Amino acid sequence: MGVGARAGTGAAEVLGLIEETLREAGLPPSRVVELATLDAKAGAAGIAGAAARLGVPVRGYPAALLAGIAVPRPSAAPLAAVGTASVAEAAALAGGGRLLVPKRKSNPVAGPARATCAVAYRGQSEWNRHGGK
């Protein structure tokens, strides 16, 4: 699962987005094997906290690597901020596989979205089980 978060984003917002995204995709949290993100964000409290609650590691990728991955929803905001037009989708795809759920944004009670996530499958059997969506 690829994730991105603005500085100061809490684990509750990141984890809430992850859980909602998985629920809507019909996937249990137990299917998450790691949270992938920008290497500069790998230790951020919100991302690290969400990973700890899920019991999975965080894998960070350099912006230059993420910038070279084609994604369906690039954005100017992360490009200007961190040097890649995608964090969540590109990080999800960086380990190989296919995008199952494109970038989703959190929906906090107050204020703008501060977290994003995307889901990729790495195994062909998983992809086939979900109809190649």
Side-chain angles (χ1 to χ4, degrees):
M1 176 159 255
V3 294
R6 292 184 183 181
T9 304
E13 185 170 344
V14 176
L15 187 61
L17 174 61
I18 289 169
E19 289 174 340
E20 177 183 333
T21 300
L22 292 171
R23 185 172 42 256
E24 289 178 4
L27 298 168
S30 62
R31 299 303 303 162
V32 177
V33 297
E34 71 181 14
L35 296 187
T37 192
L38 181 68
D39 58 3
K41 299 282 186 172
I47 293 172
R53 291 184 192 173
L54 290 167
V56 299
V58 177
R59 179 183 304 235
Y61 293 100
L65 185 139
L66 297 180
I69 298 173
V71 297
R73 296 182 179 175
S75 173
L79 180 59
V82 296
T84 177
S86 172
V87 173
E89 288 178 333
L93 292 168
R98 297 181 184 176
L99 198 61
L100 175 64
V101 179
K103 178 177 69 178
R104 303 252 337 245
K105 294 181 181 181
S106 60
N107 189 18
V109 175
R114 298 174 49 90
T116 58
C117 76
V119 180
Y121 270 142
R122 292 187 182 156
Q124 190 63 37
S125 63
E126 290 295 321
W127 181 259
N128 292 338
R129 193 174 334 171
H130 286 271
K133 297 182 193 176

